[in-house]
Amino acid sequence: MSAIGARRKSDALRTEVEAKGVFVSLVVLGLVESSYWEHNPGSREHASKAISPLTTDQAGAVIIQAIEQRKRVLVSPAIFRALFLLRALYSCSTGG
């Protein structure tokens, strides 16, 4: 799913459930070192080696931060914020 698609889905869900007192956060994480890689052989080769993966504890802390601070969107690691924004802008300009 594209960055803009994920943002649109989270915005739509937020609109649907906010009257019921439910808050929706979109958490965009980079690579997370988890058992995912064990269960998806070959996928590791497609992952970026330029950015260190988050531990599952770090990923959990980011999710908790989003909840506690009622963030609509939280992107981690920081370098991904710029990439997420650029991808969203590119998707908007190309209609995708």
Side-chain angles (χ1 to χ4, degrees):
M1 174 183 302
S2 72
I4 195 71
R7 180 66 188 256
R8 285 180 180 162
K9 283 189 178 215
S10 68
D11 288 346
L13 180 60
R14 184 178 302 108
T15 300
E16 262 185 60
V17 298
E18 70 185 342
K20 296 177 177 140
V22 176
F23 187 80
V24 174
S25 291
L26 171 61
V27 178
V28 180
L29 299 172
L31 194 64
V32 178
E33 196 58 57
S34 69
S35 61
Y36 169 84
W37 306 107
E38 296 166 28
H39 302 290
N40 293 283
S43 58
R44 186 67 138 179
E45 289 77 38
H46 300 288
S48 171
K49 293 169 185 47
I51 300 170
S52 297
L54 299 171
T55 66
T56 52
D57 286 344
Q58 289 170 321
V62 171
I63 294 167
I64 290 169
Q65 178 186 359
I67 293 167
E68 289 178 344
Q69 296 178 4
R70 296 181 66 85
K71 296 272 189 182
R72 288 177 174 249
V73 178
L74 194 94
V75 181
S76 184
I79 187 70
F80 273 42
R81 291 183 196 130
L83 297 173
F84 184 75
L85 177 61
L86 288 172
R87 175 111 188 214
L89 291 172
Y90 177 77
S91 294
C92 284
S93 68
T94 60

